[in-house]
């Protein structure tokens, strides 16, 4: 069973398919991702380090902007991103 899913090649986040404790290890192809914190089921995990102002891609589309630096393996949610869906950003 997959425990993490990346929808499109362009995506820099994946969706966690189970409640994941800190230090849970995931695989995306040949790459390993380790959760830096507890990540709830259905939430996003950073597949790469991102800087404040970077765009978050999910489904191959821009969905949010980072409001702070985010480390690879960190939980990506409303505490560190702001939505840009429907705002015409590309």
């Amino acid at each position: 069973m997959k425990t993490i899913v990346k929808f499109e090649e362009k995506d820099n986040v994946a969706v966690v398919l189970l409640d994941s404790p800190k230090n849970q290890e995931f695989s995306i192809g040949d790459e390993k991702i380790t959760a830096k914190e507890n990540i709830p089921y259905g939430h996003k995990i950073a597949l790469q380090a991102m800087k404040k102002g970077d765009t978050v891609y999910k489904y191959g589309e821009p969905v949010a902007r980072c409001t702070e630096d985010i480390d690879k393996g960190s939980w990506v949610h409303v505490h560190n991103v702001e939505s840009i869906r429907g705002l015409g950003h590309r």
Side-chain angles (χ1 to χ4, degrees), residues 11-72:
D11 293 355
N12 53 10
V13 296
V15 175
V16 173
L17 300 178
L18 49 84
D19 286 330
S20 302
K22 181 178 179 178
N23 297 321
Q24 171 79 41
E25 189 172 274
F26 301 99
S27 296
I28 293 279
D30 294 334
E31 188 173 356
K32 301 287 186 202
I33 310 290
T34 301
K36 299 271 186 193
E37 56 204 304
N38 296 336
I39 303 174
Y41 165 80
H43 287 236
K44 297 178 290 298
I45 186 171
L47 298 177
Q48 63 190 50
M50 294 179 270
K51 296 287 187 190
K52 181 178 180 178
D54 283 354
T55 300
V56 176
Y57 289 89
K58 182 179 171 188
Y59 312 117
E61 298 291 327
V63 297
R65 182 177 305 108
C66 299
T67 57
E68 59 187 59
D69 292 349
I70 300 173
D71 292 330
K72 178 179 177 179

